[in-house]
Amino acid sequence: MPRFSIVVPSHGVAGRLSLALDSVLAQSFGDFELIPVCDAPDAPAADVVAGYAERDCRVTPVHSPPSAGLAGARNTGLQAAVGSHVLFLDGDDVLVPGALAALDARLGAVGDVDVLYFEHERTPWWEGEPTNPAAPLLARTPVGAFAPGRAPQLTGVALPAWSAVYRRAFLTERSLAFPGDHFTDVGFGGLVALRAERVAALRAVVVRHLLRRQGNRLGLPGEHHTELLDQTELVLTRAAEQDLPADRLKPLFEQLFAAVLKTAAHPRRLTSGRRAFFRRASALYRRHRPAGYRAPGGSVGVQHRLLASGSYAAFRSLRAAHRTASRAASLLPRPRGLRTRLRYAAALRLPLDRNLVVYCAYWGRGYACNPAAIHAKARLLAPQLRPVFLVEPEAVGTVPPGVEHAVIGSRKYWQVLARAKYLVNNANFADAVVKRPGSVHLQTQHGTPLKTMGADQATYPVVAAATGSFAKLLARVDRWDYNLTSNRHSTEMWERAFPSAHETLEYGYPRNDVYCTATAEDVVRVRKELGVPDGKKALLYAPTHRDYATGFETGLDLAEFCEAIGDDYVVLLRAHYFYDQGASRGGGRIIDVTGHRSSEDVCLAADALITDYSSIMFDYANLDRPIVAYADDWDVYRETRGVYFDLMELPPGRVARTPEELAALFRDGSYADETARSLRAAFRERFCQFDDGRAAERVVRRVLLGEPPESIPAVIPLAERVPAPAAIPVRS
């Protein structure tokens, strides 16, 4: 029997789960079992956990459906536990170094206690000083083991479940489990404290809790706040049945109703039913108020007295008096120009147009990428919707005939942004755009992340300086309702980079549908449009942006490269879109396709891809054609830009570090040999999970048509997909 069973629910925290698991497995005290609780075998967290289970026999994952909530996940983990003591750790928290050794030593010193409470550190997600809210509660506890009556302030409800370790036999013998769906820590903590006979405290931090940027799930608006009253009633009823002494009942009552009053006074938590919540809370207050109880002083005491009397109107007036007028000012739109601001503000007062969809790609660079692919599919599946594409003045020519558009900054631009029900972008809309209640914002992204993104860029000074205000960036992220991913890796990284309350859609990238639907005739047509000579192998060279460089620079002399590899090849040069200046850099066997509107067309035309660290490699891998990574400055790029994984350990094909190595790969054909094919297969397995040719359909049905998740077409397995054929098949 292990000393500790550590239960780790993982729903919605796949991006940080590895930190939690690593913090446990790195403990110097190793007598434990680690029980991650995943939603299902194919859930994002399950992929993370599977690798740990293969490497360490102490990791024994179990599954609990998301519908069971946090309480169900913890109860499932508890049922699977076999250790003498149980510790609950949230999937986005960590154990501090030496935590288990400290717990073991303390348990050895105090003997066979039912509960050992300990301190925890609450760490702001971005900046600010950590706090230790458990320290004041534990500071006044006796030195050794003690009966709960000797520390009446230790009611259990003011501490999260992961701020204590529990004797497993105590929980099972008394049938203690996590109750309800929400606010389960309140109910569990209270019931445990009521049933425990011997407890102890460890005055040291054991768990480090990272505060989520989007806040605790329980702080979000919704009807679930009524469950706080369920948990309050459950604990107080058990206390009454147990005839709890007055000196213990008073702090229990006070701590429970502190949480109730906080919710009742919060204007955004209860979107409806505030009066009913207050009336039920008032009835509970009067029914369970301890004999001789005196309310605290100050404004809190006033709230207690109003709750006791059931005076909802007076309570509401009191809270209104404390609010400021800043809330209205914060909603004022800020587009440039007084006339524009007034027009936009007026349009915001009009009803949403439930058939209006606004699309934008690459900050208005044109009709492109995922928004264009979704737009095209929506015209077929949802013709009743009115689509408007936003473009900069110089990009108007990219909009296909028959597609309605609005020029960014124009009067029409602000009108459609104010009234659209649906807003679709692969970047972000302007800061001045207001997220209206009832509107739906879809973030489609425009690549799979190798380099750090969003909040993860903050620790890289060169990138952070170019990014600007992270506060403004994350304010834009807060407008998202849905975020699209093309693989499980992206799901995890976006969760870290863009912390918010949006829903992730693992549907694939719509722009990549063409890689499974294009025909040989399409490939021939595109090559002709780009000017690829018949019979020549086209190599797409697509380097990425360097944050530490000024302008477009490449360490590869393409003219010399073409000379070195022979006359069978031409090179399609596609610089990063930051460097699309409209001027051709081509000539001879180099065809500059930087300005071509569709990167998908360019990929279809290419028989092989040469890139450095561009995300185009993840998209091109869907074609199952050769890829070569030209990594001449990998070490510099990794240190200055930051990356999510080591590309040299998981490349999409052969790797070259110098121009000579690159040319040699094409001269001898090893760029497409069996080793290259094997590397590409592993890369595709990891990064081509959801791009099966039906991503746009899934997005339109779920987001624009509102179809339920269970009716959305399932992803076709990778082995069953047929990529678009290459013009000149490459043989090993």
Side-chain angles (χ1 to χ4, degrees):
M1 177 189 299
R3 178 65 150 163
F4 298 107
S5 293
I6 304 170
V7 178
V8 186
S10 63
H11 178 69
V13 293
R16 289 186 50 82
L17 180 59
S18 60
L19 299 179
L21 302 183
D22 287 342
S23 74
V24 176
L25 296 174
Q27 293 288 314
S28 58
F29 183 90
D31 186 16
F32 62 81
E33 63 170 350
L34 178 56
I35 308 175
V37 187
C38 306
D39 294 346
D42 60 345
D47 287 350
V48 177
V49 169
Y52 285 89
E54 291 177 2
R55 296 189 297 270
D56 197 315
C57 62
R58 294 174 297 178
V59 181
T60 56
V62 295
H63 300 101
S64 176
S67 59
L70 177 62
R74 286 175 172 170
N75 289 334
T76 298
L78 178 59
Q79 292 168 6
V82 296
S84 61
H85 290 78
V86 181
L87 173 66
F88 298 98
L89 181 70
D90 279 1
D92 51 358
D93 296 342
V94 297
L95 290 182
V96 301
L100 294 185
L103 290 175
D104 177 66
R106 183 60 174 160
L107 288 170
V110 299
D112 197 23
V113 295
D114 296 327
V115 187
L116 173 64
Y117 295 101
F118 51 74
E119 297 176 9
H120 63 272
E121 185 177 85
R122 298 170 67 87
T123 305
W125 84 276
W126 189 252
E127 60 183 13
E129 293 298 322
T131 60
N132 186 344
L137 284 172
L138 302 184
R140 294 174 287 156
T141 55
V143 175
F146 55 91
R150 294 182 60 193
Q153 80 279 4
L154 208 58
T155 67
V157 302
L159 293 173
W162 38 261
S163 199
V165 62
Y166 311 88
R167 187 166 60 87
R168 186 170 63 86
F170 159 69
L171 297 179
T172 56
E173 289 168 2
R174 289 162 178 76
S175 301
L176 290 169
F178 289 88
D181 295 323
H182 298 90
F183 301 95
T184 187
D185 280 17
V186 172
F188 181 77
L191 296 177
V192 164
L194 289 175
R195 300 302 303 274
E197 297 178 358
R198 295 183 76 249
V199 299
L202 171 62
R203 299 189 189 100
V205 171
V206 171
V207 171
R208 184 168 291 120
H209 172 65
L210 179 68
L211 296 173
R212 297 184 176 198
R213 176 181 172 268
Q214 57 269 41
N216 190 298
R217 294 188 184 97
L218 298 181
L220 298 176
E223 297 180 357
H224 62 277
H225 287 282
T226 59
E227 294 184 39
L228 175 59
L229 300 180
D230 296 338
Q231 302 286 1
T232 299
E233 184 172 18
L234 172 65
V235 173
L236 290 176
T237 299
R238 294 288 176 84
E241 294 171 351
Q242 193 171 314
D243 197 17
L244 196 68
D247 62 335
R248 290 189 63 192
L249 181 58
K250 178 184 175 181
L252 176 64
F253 178 86
E254 210 158 67
Q255 291 175 24
L256 284 169
F257 276 96
V260 170
L261 284 169
K262 184 177 180 180
T263 297
H266 201 290
R268 295 182 181 176
R269 290 186 180 179
L270 292 168
T271 54
S272 62
R274 293 177 189 165
R275 185 184 298 272
F277 181 94
F278 185 88
R279 286 179 175 174
R280 183 184 170 197
S282 178
L284 286 173
Y285 189 97
R286 292 192 296 270
R287 185 186 315 144
H288 293 283
R289 179 172 46 187
Y293 176 74
R294 295 183 62 181
S299 62
V300 174
V302 175
Q303 293 181 45
H304 272 259
R305 288 189 286 276
L306 292 176
L307 188 64
S309 65
S311 304
Y312 175 70
F315 182 86
R316 184 178 59 182
S317 299
L318 176 68
R319 298 312 305 163
H322 288 110
R323 299 189 195 111
T324 66
S326 60
R327 179 177 178 272
S330 67
L331 297 176
L332 183 66
R334 297 290 181 184
R336 292 182 179 180
L338 177 60
R339 183 176 298 177
T340 302
R341 288 202 301 270
L342 293 175
R343 286 173 176 167
Y344 184 49
L348 287 171
R349 291 194 292 269
L350 298 174
L352 283 175
D353 184 340
R354 300 193 174 276
N355 287 324
L356 179 58
V357 189
V358 170
Y359 297 89
C360 190
Y362 298 115
W363 303 275
R365 288 185 62 249
Y367 185 84
C369 196
N370 291 318
I374 296 170
H375 170 272
K377 183 61 69 173
R379 296 180 78 179
L380 297 175
L381 299 180
Q384 73 277 13
L385 299 178
R386 175 198 170 196
V388 178
F389 226 96
L390 307 181
V391 291
E392 290 286 358
E394 60 271 18
V396 170
T398 71
V399 181
V403 175
E404 184 179 356
H405 69 275
V407 175
I408 290 179
S410 67
R411 182 175 181 177
K412 180 179 179 181
Y413 166 83
W414 289 109
Q415 286 177 335
V416 296
L417 281 174
R419 300 204 57 197
K421 164 78 172 180
Y422 306 98
L423 295 95
V424 181
N425 208 327
N426 73 347
N428 263 310
F429 290 99
D431 291 343
V433 173
V434 173
K435 175 67 164 69
R436 297 185 62 179
S439 65
V440 177
H441 284 235
L442 169 64
Q443 168 59 252
T444 73
Q445 303 294 346
H446 54 271
T448 290
L450 166 62
K451 58 194 174 191
T452 55
M453 301 293 289
D456 289 337
Q457 298 173 339
T459 55
Y460 296 90
V462 173
V463 187
T467 300
S469 170
F470 285 96
K472 289 184 177 180
L473 168 66
L474 294 170
R476 296 190 289 269
V477 171
D478 284 340
R479 297 183 302 210
W480 302 354
D481 293 289
Y482 298 102
N483 184 32
L484 204 56
T485 74
S486 59
N487 47 62
R488 193 56 54 76
H489 162 79
S490 295
T491 299
E492 297 172 16
M493 297 309 105
W494 294 146
E495 181 183 309
R496 288 176 42 181
F498 302 118
S500 189
H502 55 262
E503 179 182 349
T504 296
L505 300 179
E506 293 183 322
Y507 286 176
Y509 283 158
R511 72 179 183 192
N512 291 344
D513 285 353
V514 68
Y515 299 140
C516 291
T517 61
T519 63
E521 290 74 19
D522 294 323
V523 174
V524 170
R525 172 185 54 78
V526 172
R527 286 169 68 92
K528 185 175 181 180
E529 290 177 1
L530 297 178
V532 179
D534 291 340
K536 297 290 187 180
K537 296 177 183 176
L539 306 180
L540 172 58
Y541 177 51
T544 193
H545 167 61
R546 300 295 196 278
D547 297 275
Y548 51 86
T550 302
F552 176 67
E553 298 178 3
T554 172
L556 182 64
D557 188 316
L558 291 179
E560 291 184 3
F561 174 68
C562 288
E563 186 68 26
I565 63 177
D567 294 337
D568 291 340
Y569 301 94
V570 296
V571 173
L572 304 176
L573 168 62
R574 189 169 181 85
H576 192 277
Y577 57 81
F578 284 178
Y579 309 117
D580 179 10
Q581 304 298 328
S584 175
R585 306 177 185 86
R589 289 161 53 198
I590 304 169
I591 304 172
D592 190 342
V593 296
T594 302
H596 190 77
R597 69 172 184 84
S598 171
S599 62
E600 297 76 58
D601 280 357
V602 174
C603 287
L604 285 174
D607 300 294
L609 169 68
I610 304 170
T611 188
D612 41 23
Y613 327 118
S614 170
S615 65
I616 199 171
M617 72 178 80
F618 302 100
D619 305 318
Y620 191 83
N622 286 287
L623 289 168
D624 199 17
R625 301 178 191 174
I627 303 174
V628 175
Y630 179 55
D632 60 330
D633 62 346
W634 169 248
D635 295 332
V636 175
Y637 186 86
R638 179 177 56 185
E639 291 301 318
T640 57
R641 187 59 171 86
V643 294
Y644 287 122
F645 66 92
D646 190 342
L647 185 65
M648 300 301 101
E649 293 185 0
L650 189 67
R654 291 285 193 173
V655 176
R657 292 282 196 148
T658 66
E660 293 75 22
E661 290 178 1
L662 182 64
L665 292 176
F666 287 91
R667 279 200 307 269
D668 62 18
S670 56
Y671 78 99
D673 63 8
E674 287 304 319
T675 297
R677 187 186 300 274
S678 177
L679 291 170
R680 187 168 74 249
F683 192 84
R684 279 167 49 80
E685 187 72 26
R686 181 175 181 182
F687 296 113
C688 297
Q689 287 173 285
F690 311 135
D691 289 337
D692 64 349
R694 301 190 69 180
E697 178 185 352
R698 283 190 281 268
V699 171
V700 172
R701 292 192 182 281
R702 176 70 190 284
V703 178
L704 302 185
L705 294 178
E707 295 183 8
E710 57 271 16
S711 70
I712 305 303
V715 174
I716 300 171
L718 186 63
E720 299 177 15
R721 301 175 205 166
V722 180
I728 303 177
V730 177
R731 296 179 175 81
S732 300

